Amino acid sequence: MTSSTSPTSAPLRVRSIPAGHDYVRHAVGRAADPTSGGAPGVATDPTSGAATDPAGIVVLADPLLDPAEPSRWWPHPALEAAERPEVLDGADLVHVHFGYEHRSPAQVAEFVAAVRSRGSPLVVTVHDLTNPHEADPAAHLERTGHLVLGADAVVTLTAGAAGEIRRRWGVDSQVIPHPRLMPVGVTEPYRLRRLEQAGHPGPHTARPPGRRTVGVVLGSLRAGVAAEGLLPQLADALPAGADLVVMVRSDALAAAHAPGHARHEAALALDTLAERPDVEVRSHDLLTDDELCRALAGFDALVLPHRHGTHSGWLELCRDLGLPPVIPRVGYLVEQWGSPAGSYDPADPTVTELRRGLSTALGGPPVPARAADAEDGAVAAAHAALYRAARAAVASRRGVDSDHVFPRD
């Protein structure tokens, strides 16, 4: 059945891979909340259950993989479209963000062919040209190349990354900056508290200035996270009156203490650092968003420990919280931040350079507040326009009206 609604106004159903990620919620629109009571598979307002995107973009909810963990979207079943074509049923357009590293390059190529065989537009956002969690970039580049070359539209986050995509594959991409990572309601109270504690005007009395705290988050000690080469130098670079807090998942740290573990040297380095009076190694379980923001808000600067990568959600969380970062010069992280910041070379993190980076972060002006609604609105509008252009381009190639290519249910 076809609709009398024009192609430019008909609601467009997007299979986002994934939908249930903080970036996608802010960049594209609200994915369905499984607790909201809305229609399954449709973007809903948690209070009303109604589709909310004014541009008529409906983001299909991720399939429920585990009732005990309803927010888990990985590994995303839609990437198995070559083996199970029905996983794309109900979608007018497919948008791949990330989460495809478990598939081989050949499987990714087959996925692209399966999407195109359905006549569905394929949009790809290149978040990572170098996967931050893989030591060898070759396989990820091959997978990403299949997606980029098969896509009807390519998005990336910085002009630098767009230039690299053009050099590698001869494909132009649209630059749409990363929006905020977490909701305003989660981060804004902590951002305001940080300002007050730093002595900037606020509605409450600021605490007297005291010792400053530099934070590093190691997470689960994955391959792309520096520790043994960075942290001893960073501890020696601390200015007078500053402490270092290193956050690390307790289960990962316990596993790394086993001889022969890939991150055993990192665990030993953390043991040595913990003996210093100005260093705290803070092991923790999996944190909620609020717990993570509360911990980060207690820092005066955050040193990102990336060994490699292209862009970083951690930078956007720093921006959300008003937390000045010290940025490793890898990929396009410095460009992504977009304003003066401390930085360092992760291949050779010297005390001198880290001390200079900390001085910039700790002594600079407050991080500018985000215009959350305006940012999210602009980014969502850019995606909506891109989706409709991709849909129209596919319809034009087939020489038919787009509502015939994408029949309405």
Side-chain angles (χ1 to χ4, degrees):
M1 183 174 97
T2 62
S3 167
S4 59
T5 308
S6 72
T8 58
S9 61
L12 192 154
R13 300 165 298 184
V14 177
R15 170 57 70 199
S16 181
I17 304 174
H21 186 278
D22 291 322
Y23 169 89
V24 179
R25 289 190 183 100
H26 288 282
V28 180
R30 198 186 310 246
D33 180 346
T35 66
S36 70
V42 178
T44 61
D45 184 306
T47 58
S48 69
T52 60
D53 188 89
I57 304 301
V58 175
V59 180
L60 304 178
D62 295 317
L64 181 63
L65 300 183
D66 182 358
E69 194 180 354
S71 64
R72 182 167 70 86
W73 51 262
W74 62 92
H76 206 291
L79 291 166
E80 301 172 16
E83 300 93 339
R84 299 190 293 145
E86 69 276 6
V87 297
L88 295 183
D89 286 351
D92 299 324
L93 178 146
V94 178
H95 187 165
V96 178
H97 287 277
F98 34 70
Y100 52 89
E101 59 269 15
H102 66 292
R103 305 292 280 175
S104 70
Q107 287 173 323
V108 172
E110 290 165 357
F111 162 79
V112 171
V115 174
R116 296 188 70 84
S117 72
R118 296 172 68 96
S120 299
L122 175 62
V123 176
V124 174
T125 296
V126 179
H127 292 265
D128 297 307
L129 286 153
T130 301
N131 191 310
H133 306 304
E134 294 180 338
D136 182 1
H140 181 75
L141 275 174
E142 188 176 354
R143 296 183 198 102
T144 303
H146 287 305
L147 291 169
V148 167
L149 291 169
D152 297 288
V154 179
V155 178
T156 193
L157 310 180
T158 58
E164 184 172 341
I165 291 166
R166 189 179 303 110
R167 289 191 298 274
R168 285 185 178 277
W169 296 296
V171 173
D172 289 330
S173 48
Q174 181 170 339
V175 176
I176 303 179
H178 199 305
R180 66 181 297 107
L181 193 68
M182 290 193 186
V184 175
V186 174
T187 58
E188 189 64 5
Y190 293 115
R191 188 188 71 84
L192 294 175
R193 187 179 306 173
R194 285 199 68 263
L195 282 174
E196 295 170 30
Q197 290 174 344
H200 299 287
H204 308 294
T205 303
R207 70 176 183 185
R211 293 186 68 86
R212 292 175 296 177
T213 303
V214 174
V216 178
V217 180
L218 300 182
S220 296
L221 286 171
R222 296 173 78 173
V225 171
E228 56 271 42
L230 168 65
L231 296 178
Q233 301 287 81
L234 180 59
D236 288 342
L238 291 172
D243 299 310
L244 175 64
V245 173
V246 182
M247 296 176 59
V248 60
R249 282 283 296 270
S250 53
D251 52 352
L253 183 58
H257 274 108
H261 190 280
R263 300 313 306 269
H264 186 60
E265 292 300 319
L268 296 180
L270 289 171
D271 289 343
T272 300
L273 281 168
E275 298 173 359
R276 293 182 51 146
D278 55 355
V279 176
E280 175 192 351
V281 176
R282 185 182 296 172
S283 61
H284 59 87
D285 296 330
L286 180 65
L287 301 176
T288 65
D289 287 351
D290 187 76
E291 290 168 338
L292 174 60
C293 290
R294 185 185 309 129
L296 296 180
F299 300 151
D300 296 286
L302 185 72
V303 179
L304 274 59
H306 302 47
R307 283 175 166 161
H308 45 254
T310 308
H311 303 107
S312 175
W314 285 99
L315 282 178
E316 302 306 326
L317 186 52
C318 283
R319 214 186 310 267
D320 293 349
L321 291 166
L323 179 60
V326 179
I327 306 172
R329 292 193 297 274
V330 296
Y332 304 99
L333 272 67
V334 171
E335 180 185 346
Q336 180 186 345
W337 184 250
S339 57
S343 66
Y344 71 97
D345 178 4
D348 183 22
T350 65
V351 170
T352 299
E353 189 173 41
L354 288 166
R355 184 176 291 135
R356 187 163 54 243
L358 289 173
S359 176
T360 299
L362 295 170
V367 175
R370 304 191 84 142
D373 290 343
E375 282 186 13
D376 283 6
V379 171
H383 279 91
L386 183 126
Y387 290 163
R388 295 204 177 280
R391 183 186 189 194
V394 170
S396 177
R397 284 203 304 270
R398 299 188 64 168
V400 293
D401 179 84
S402 61
D403 269 356
H404 290 271
V405 180
F406 308 102
R408 315 313 305 168
D409 292 338

PDB file of all heavy atoms in Angstrom, residues 2-31:
ATOM      1  N   THR A   2       0.499   2.240  -0.742  1.00  0.00           N
ATOM      2  CA  THR A   2       1.255   3.483  -0.759  1.00  0.00           C
ATOM      3  C   THR A   2       0.467   4.554  -0.042  1.00  0.00           C
ATOM      4  O   THR A   2      -0.723   4.441   0.198  1.00  0.00           O
ATOM      5  CB  THR A   2       1.561   3.933  -2.194  1.00  0.00           C
ATOM      6  OG1 THR A   2       0.337   4.182  -2.847  1.00  0.00           O
ATOM      7  CG2 THR A   2       2.379   2.909  -2.935  1.00  0.00           C
ATOM      8  N   SER A   3       1.159   5.632   0.287  1.00  0.00           N
ATOM      9  CA  SER A   3       0.550   6.725   1.033  1.00  0.00           C
ATOM     10  C   SER A   3       0.444   7.937   0.154  1.00  0.00           C
ATOM     11  O   SER A   3       1.235   8.157  -0.751  1.00  0.00           O
ATOM     12  CB  SER A   3       1.407   7.047   2.278  1.00  0.00           C
ATOM     13  OG  SER A   3       1.008   8.259   2.846  1.00  0.00           O
ATOM     14  N   SER A   4      -0.563   8.763   0.426  1.00  0.00           N
ATOM     15  CA  SER A   4      -0.689  10.020  -0.301  1.00  0.00           C
ATOM     16  C   SER A   4       0.195  11.100   0.275  1.00  0.00           C
ATOM     17  O   SER A   4       0.327  12.173  -0.288  1.00  0.00           O
ATOM     18  CB  SER A   4      -2.152  10.494  -0.265  1.00  0.00           C
ATOM     19  OG  SER A   4      -2.556  10.674   1.085  1.00  0.00           O
ATOM     20  N   THR A   5       0.829  10.816   1.433  1.00  0.00           N
ATOM     21  CA  THR A   5       1.725  11.793   2.045  1.00  0.00           C
ATOM     22  C   THR A   5       2.951  11.969   1.164  1.00  0.00           C
ATOM     23  O   THR A   5       3.480  11.004   0.626  1.00  0.00           O
ATOM     24  CB  THR A   5       2.159  11.323   3.445  1.00  0.00           C
ATOM     25  OG1 THR A   5       1.000  10.999   4.183  1.00  0.00           O
ATOM     26  CG2 THR A   5       2.960  12.373   4.150  1.00  0.00           C
ATOM     27  N   SER A   6       3.427  13.185   1.023  1.00  0.00           N
ATOM     28  CA  SER A   6       4.578  13.443   0.160  1.00  0.00           C
ATOM     29  C   SER A   6       5.824  12.836   0.751  1.00  0.00           C
ATOM     30  O   SER A   6       5.935  12.661   1.953  1.00  0.00           O
ATOM     31  CB  SER A   6       4.780  14.949  -0.012  1.00  0.00           C
ATOM     32  OG  SER A   6       5.276  15.493   1.190  1.00  0.00           O
ATOM     33  N   PRO A   7       6.837  12.469  -0.092  1.00  0.00           N
ATOM     34  CA  PRO A   7       8.066  11.879   0.402  1.00  0.00           C
ATOM     35  C   PRO A   7       8.780  12.767   1.389  1.00  0.00           C
ATOM     36  O   PRO A   7       9.531  12.282   2.214  1.00  0.00           O
ATOM     37  CB  PRO A   7       8.901  11.672  -0.878  1.00  0.00           C
ATOM     38  CG  PRO A   7       7.916  11.677  -1.996  1.00  0.00           C
ATOM     39  CD  PRO A   7       6.809  12.568  -1.560  1.00  0.00           C
ATOM     40  N   THR A   8       8.596  14.069   1.306  1.00  0.00           N
ATOM     41  CA  THR A   8       9.330  14.951   2.197  1.00  0.00           C
ATOM     42  C   THR A   8       8.689  15.055   3.564  1.00  0.00           C
ATOM     43  O   THR A   8       9.295  15.576   4.485  1.00  0.00           O
ATOM     44  CB  THR A   8       9.441  16.354   1.580  1.00  0.00           C
ATOM     45  OG1 THR A   8       8.124  16.852   1.337  1.00  0.00           O
ATOM     46  CG2 THR A   8      10.230  16.317   0.291  1.00  0.00           C
ATOM     47  N   SER A   9       7.403  14.598   3.690  1.00  0.00           N
ATOM     48  CA  SER A   9       6.730  14.739   4.965  1.00  0.00           C
ATOM     49  C   SER A   9       6.385  13.419   5.615  1.00  0.00           C
ATOM     50  O   SER A   9       6.017  13.384   6.781  1.00  0.00           O
ATOM     51  CB  SER A   9       5.457  15.581   4.794  1.00  0.00           C
ATOM     52  OG  SER A   9       4.568  14.936   3.902  1.00  0.00           O
ATOM     53  N   ALA A  10       6.420  12.305   4.874  1.00  0.00           N
ATOM     54  CA  ALA A  10       6.068  11.011   5.452  1.00  0.00           C
ATOM     55  C   ALA A  10       7.049  10.642   6.553  1.00  0.00           C
ATOM     56  O   ALA A  10       8.252  10.827   6.397  1.00  0.00           O
ATOM     57  CB  ALA A  10       6.086   9.946   4.354  1.00  0.00           C
ATOM     58  N   PRO A  11       6.558  10.123   7.662  1.00  0.00           N
ATOM     59  CA  PRO A  11       7.468   9.657   8.707  1.00  0.00           C
ATOM     60  C   PRO A  11       8.458   8.633   8.154  1.00  0.00           C
ATOM     61  O   PRO A  11       8.116   7.824   7.300  1.00  0.00           O
ATOM     62  CB  PRO A  11       6.526   9.038   9.741  1.00  0.00           C
ATOM     63  CG  PRO A  11       5.216   9.707   9.512  1.00  0.00           C
ATOM     64  CD  PRO A  11       5.150   9.963   8.036  1.00  0.00           C
ATOM     65  N   LEU A  12       9.661   8.694   8.625  1.00  0.00           N
ATOM     66  CA  LEU A  12      10.728   7.838   8.129  1.00  0.00           C
ATOM     67  C   LEU A  12      11.261   7.010   9.290  1.00  0.00           C
ATOM     68  O   LEU A  12      11.692   7.551  10.305  1.00  0.00           O
ATOM     69  CB  LEU A  12      11.827   8.703   7.507  1.00  0.00           C
ATOM     70  CG  LEU A  12      12.899   8.010   6.680  1.00  0.00           C
ATOM     71  CD1 LEU A  12      13.476   8.991   5.663  1.00  0.00           C
ATOM     72  CD2 LEU A  12      14.021   7.495   7.561  1.00  0.00           C
ATOM     73  N   ARG A  13      11.196   5.710   9.141  1.00  0.00           N
ATOM     74  CA  ARG A  13      11.575   4.797  10.219  1.00  0.00           C
ATOM     75  C   ARG A  13      13.037   4.386  10.053  1.00  0.00           C
ATOM     76  O   ARG A  13      13.409   3.800   9.034  1.00  0.00           O
ATOM     77  CB  ARG A  13      10.661   3.574  10.211  1.00  0.00           C
ATOM     78  CG  ARG A  13       9.190   3.925  10.408  1.00  0.00           C
ATOM     79  CD  ARG A  13       8.274   2.771  10.052  1.00  0.00           C
ATOM     80  NE  ARG A  13       8.401   2.411   8.642  1.00  0.00           N
ATOM     81  CZ  ARG A  13       7.648   1.473   8.053  1.00  0.00           C
ATOM     82  NH1 ARG A  13       6.734   0.826   8.745  1.00  0.00           N
ATOM     83  NH2 ARG A  13       7.820   1.199   6.773  1.00  0.00           N
ATOM     84  N   VAL A  14      13.825   4.671  11.045  1.00  0.00           N
ATOM     85  CA  VAL A  14      15.271   4.466  10.982  1.00  0.00           C
ATOM     86  C   VAL A  14      15.675   3.301  11.880  1.00  0.00           C
ATOM     87  O   VAL A  14      15.366   3.290  13.079  1.00  0.00           O
ATOM     88  CB  VAL A  14      16.026   5.739  11.420  1.00  0.00           C
ATOM     89  CG1 VAL A  14      17.532   5.498  11.422  1.00  0.00           C
ATOM     90  CG2 VAL A  14      15.685   6.901  10.511  1.00  0.00           C
ATOM     91  N   ARG A  15      16.349   2.334  11.272  1.00  0.00           N
ATOM     92  CA  ARG A  15      17.004   1.284  12.067  1.00  0.00           C
ATOM     93  C   ARG A  15      18.399   1.785  12.375  1.00  0.00           C
ATOM     94  O   ARG A  15      19.301   1.732  11.543  1.00  0.00           O
ATOM     95  CB  ARG A  15      17.040  -0.031  11.296  1.00  0.00           C
ATOM     96  CG  ARG A  15      17.921  -1.120  11.940  1.00  0.00           C
ATOM     97  CD  ARG A  15      17.508  -1.441  13.367  1.00  0.00           C
ATOM     98  NE  ARG A  15      16.236  -2.137  13.429  1.00  0.00           N
ATOM     99  CZ  ARG A  15      15.482  -2.202  14.526  1.00  0.00           C
ATOM    100  NH1 ARG A  15      15.887  -1.574  15.631  1.00  0.00           N
ATOM    101  NH2 ARG A  15      14.337  -2.838  14.514  1.00  0.00           N
ATOM    102  N   SER A  16      18.565   2.328  13.561  1.00  0.00           N
ATOM    103  CA  SER A  16      19.859   2.856  13.992  1.00  0.00           C
ATOM    104  C   SER A  16      20.624   1.750  14.701  1.00  0.00           C
ATOM    105  O   SER A  16      20.082   1.076  15.577  1.00  0.00           O
ATOM    106  CB  SER A  16      19.643   4.038  14.940  1.00  0.00           C
ATOM    107  OG  SER A  16      20.869   4.584  15.362  1.00  0.00           O
ATOM    108  N   ILE A  17      21.868   1.578  14.314  1.00  0.00           N
ATOM    109  CA  ILE A  17      22.722   0.530  14.914  1.00  0.00           C
ATOM    110  C   ILE A  17      23.853   1.207  15.660  1.00  0.00           C
ATOM    111  O   ILE A  17      24.858   1.597  15.074  1.00  0.00           O
ATOM    112  CB  ILE A  17      23.283  -0.410  13.807  1.00  0.00           C
ATOM    113  CG1 ILE A  17      22.135  -1.007  12.976  1.00  0.00           C
ATOM    114  CG2 ILE A  17      24.148  -1.501  14.429  1.00  0.00           C
ATOM    115  CD1 ILE A  17      22.612  -1.817  11.773  1.00  0.00           C
ATOM    116  N   PRO A  18      23.643   1.438  16.979  1.00  0.00           N
ATOM    117  CA  PRO A  18      22.470   1.114  17.790  1.00  0.00           C
ATOM    118  C   PRO A  18      21.551   2.322  17.911  1.00  0.00           C
ATOM    119  O   PRO A  18      21.864   3.412  17.431  1.00  0.00           O
ATOM    120  CB  PRO A  18      23.098   0.805  19.145  1.00  0.00           C
ATOM    121  CG  PRO A  18      24.244   1.784  19.224  1.00  0.00           C
ATOM    122  CD  PRO A  18      24.779   1.892  17.819  1.00  0.00           C
ATOM    123  N   ALA A  19      20.400   2.129  18.606  1.00  0.00           N
ATOM    124  CA  ALA A  19      19.533   3.245  18.994  1.00  0.00           C
ATOM    125  C   ALA A  19      19.749   3.611  20.459  1.00  0.00           C
ATOM    126  O   ALA A  19      19.697   4.771  20.826  1.00  0.00           O
ATOM    127  CB  ALA A  19      18.066   2.874  18.759  1.00  0.00           C
ATOM    128  N   GLY A  20      20.006   2.609  21.287  1.00  0.00           N
ATOM    129  CA  GLY A  20      20.064   2.826  22.724  1.00  0.00           C
ATOM    130  C   GLY A  20      21.426   3.253  23.226  1.00  0.00           C
ATOM    131  O   GLY A  20      21.972   2.643  24.157  1.00  0.00           O
ATOM    132  N   HIS A  21      21.998   4.278  22.632  1.00  0.00           N
ATOM    133  CA  HIS A  21      23.279   4.810  23.082  1.00  0.00           C
ATOM    134  C   HIS A  21      23.101   6.304  23.301  1.00  0.00           C
ATOM    135  O   HIS A  21      22.338   6.969  22.592  1.00  0.00           O
ATOM    136  CB  HIS A  21      24.363   4.554  22.037  1.00  0.00           C
ATOM    137  CG  HIS A  21      25.741   4.946  22.465  1.00  0.00           C
ATOM    138  ND1 HIS A  21      26.194   6.245  22.390  1.00  0.00           N
ATOM    139  CD2 HIS A  21      26.765   4.222  22.981  1.00  0.00           C
ATOM    140  CE1 HIS A  21      27.445   6.290  22.836  1.00  0.00           C
ATOM    141  NE2 HIS A  21      27.808   5.093  23.204  1.00  0.00           N
ATOM    142  N   ASP A  22      23.812   6.851  24.277  1.00  0.00           N
ATOM    143  CA  ASP A  22      23.643   8.260  24.614  1.00  0.00           C
ATOM    144  C   ASP A  22      23.878   9.171  23.417  1.00  0.00           C
ATOM    145  O   ASP A  22      23.153  10.146  23.202  1.00  0.00           O
ATOM    146  CB  ASP A  22      24.593   8.652  25.757  1.00  0.00           C
ATOM    147  CG  ASP A  22      24.203   8.002  27.065  1.00  0.00           C
ATOM    148  OD1 ASP A  22      22.998   7.887  27.327  1.00  0.00           O
ATOM    149  OD2 ASP A  22      25.100   7.594  27.821  1.00  0.00           O
ATOM    150  N   TYR A  23      24.917   8.888  22.625  1.00  0.00           N
ATOM    151  CA  TYR A  23      25.191   9.719  21.447  1.00  0.00           C
ATOM    152  C   TYR A  23      23.986   9.739  20.517  1.00  0.00           C
ATOM    153  O   TYR A  23      23.550  10.794  20.050  1.00  0.00           O
ATOM    154  CB  TYR A  23      26.420   9.194  20.701  1.00  0.00           C
ATOM    155  CG  TYR A  23      26.597   9.841  19.343  1.00  0.00           C
ATOM    156  CD1 TYR A  23      27.320  11.013  19.210  1.00  0.00           C
ATOM    157  CD2 TYR A  23      26.009   9.289  18.208  1.00  0.00           C
ATOM    158  CE1 TYR A  23      27.459  11.624  17.963  1.00  0.00           C
ATOM    159  CE2 TYR A  23      26.140   9.892  16.969  1.00  0.00           C
ATOM    160  CZ  TYR A  23      26.870  11.059  16.855  1.00  0.00           C
ATOM    161  OH  TYR A  23      26.992  11.664  15.629  1.00  0.00           O
ATOM    162  N   VAL A  24      23.434   8.565  20.214  1.00  0.00           N
ATOM    163  CA  VAL A  24      22.349   8.480  19.240  1.00  0.00           C
ATOM    164  C   VAL A  24      21.102   9.183  19.764  1.00  0.00           C
ATOM    165  O   VAL A  24      20.392   9.853  19.009  1.00  0.00           O
ATOM    166  CB  VAL A  24      22.063   7.005  18.899  1.00  0.00           C
ATOM    167  CG1 VAL A  24      20.918   6.893  17.902  1.00  0.00           C
ATOM    168  CG2 VAL A  24      23.316   6.340  18.328  1.00  0.00           C
ATOM    169  N   ARG A  25      20.840   9.068  21.055  1.00  0.00           N
ATOM    170  CA  ARG A  25      19.656   9.727  21.622  1.00  0.00           C
ATOM    171  C   ARG A  25      19.705  11.239  21.400  1.00  0.00           C
ATOM    172  O   ARG A  25      18.691  11.865  21.128  1.00  0.00           O
ATOM    173  CB  ARG A  25      19.559   9.430  23.122  1.00  0.00           C
ATOM    174  CG  ARG A  25      19.180   7.995  23.437  1.00  0.00           C
ATOM    175  CD  ARG A  25      18.875   7.833  24.918  1.00  0.00           C
ATOM    176  NE  ARG A  25      18.577   6.452  25.227  1.00  0.00           N
ATOM    177  CZ  ARG A  25      19.433   5.599  25.773  1.00  0.00           C
ATOM    178  NH1 ARG A  25      20.648   6.019  26.076  1.00  0.00           N
ATOM    179  NH2 ARG A  25      19.102   4.358  26.015  1.00  0.00           N
ATOM    180  N   HIS A  26      20.895  11.811  21.537  1.00  0.00           N
ATOM    181  CA  HIS A  26      21.015  13.264  21.371  1.00  0.00           C
ATOM    182  C   HIS A  26      21.192  13.656  19.907  1.00  0.00           C
ATOM    183  O   HIS A  26      20.761  14.738  19.504  1.00  0.00           O
ATOM    184  CB  HIS A  26      22.186  13.787  22.199  1.00  0.00           C
ATOM    185  CG  HIS A  26      21.911  13.766  23.667  1.00  0.00           C
ATOM    186  ND1 HIS A  26      21.131  14.705  24.292  1.00  0.00           N
ATOM    187  CD2 HIS A  26      22.279  12.889  24.625  1.00  0.00           C
ATOM    188  CE1 HIS A  26      21.044  14.415  25.585  1.00  0.00           C
ATOM    189  NE2 HIS A  26      21.732  13.331  25.810  1.00  0.00           N
ATOM    190  N   ALA A  27      21.809  12.800  19.105  1.00  0.00           N
ATOM    191  CA  ALA A  27      22.120  13.170  17.728  1.00  0.00           C
ATOM    192  C   ALA A  27      20.942  12.979  16.788  1.00  0.00           C
ATOM    193  O   ALA A  27      20.793  13.720  15.816  1.00  0.00           O
ATOM    194  CB  ALA A  27      23.317  12.361  17.217  1.00  0.00           C
ATOM    195  N   VAL A  28      20.123  11.985  17.042  1.00  0.00           N
ATOM    196  CA  VAL A  28      19.093  11.619  16.085  1.00  0.00           C
ATOM    197  C   VAL A  28      17.690  11.803  16.662  1.00  0.00           C
ATOM    198  O   VAL A  28      16.778  12.242  15.994  1.00  0.00           O
ATOM    199  CB  VAL A  28      19.278  10.163  15.606  1.00  0.00           C
ATOM    200  CG1 VAL A  28      18.199   9.779  14.609  1.00  0.00           C
ATOM    201  CG2 VAL A  28      20.659   9.976  14.993  1.00  0.00           C
ATOM    202  N   GLY A  29      17.511  11.486  17.896  1.00  0.00           N
ATOM    203  CA  GLY A  29      16.188  11.533  18.510  1.00  0.00           C
ATOM    204  C   GLY A  29      16.109  10.473  19.578  1.00  0.00           C
ATOM    205  O   GLY A  29      16.968   9.606  19.681  1.00  0.00           O
ATOM    206  N   ARG A  30      15.058  10.543  20.360  1.00  0.00           N
ATOM    207  CA  ARG A  30      14.912   9.649  21.497  1.00  0.00           C
ATOM    208  C   ARG A  30      14.518   8.256  21.028  1.00  0.00           C
ATOM    209  O   ARG A  30      13.491   8.089  20.381  1.00  0.00           O
ATOM    210  CB  ARG A  30      13.846  10.212  22.432  1.00  0.00           C
ATOM    211  CG  ARG A  30      13.876   9.650  23.832  1.00  0.00           C
ATOM    212  CD  ARG A  30      12.690  10.173  24.595  1.00  0.00           C
ATOM    213  NE  ARG A  30      12.600  11.617  24.476  1.00  0.00           N
ATOM    214  CZ  ARG A  30      12.768  12.454  25.490  1.00  0.00           C
ATOM    215  NH1 ARG A  30      13.030  11.983  26.681  1.00  0.00           N
ATOM    216  NH2 ARG A  30      12.651  13.751  25.312  1.00  0.00           N
ATOM    217  N   ALA A  31      15.328   7.258  21.347  1.00  0.00           N
ATOM    218  CA  ALA A  31      14.967   5.877  21.043  1.00  0.00           C
ATOM    219  C   ALA A  31      13.933   5.405  22.050  1.00  0.00           C
ATOM    220  O   ALA A  31      13.783   5.960  23.129  1.00  0.00           O
ATOM    221  CB  ALA A  31      16.205   4.986  21.094  1.00  0.00           C
TER     222      ALA A  31
END
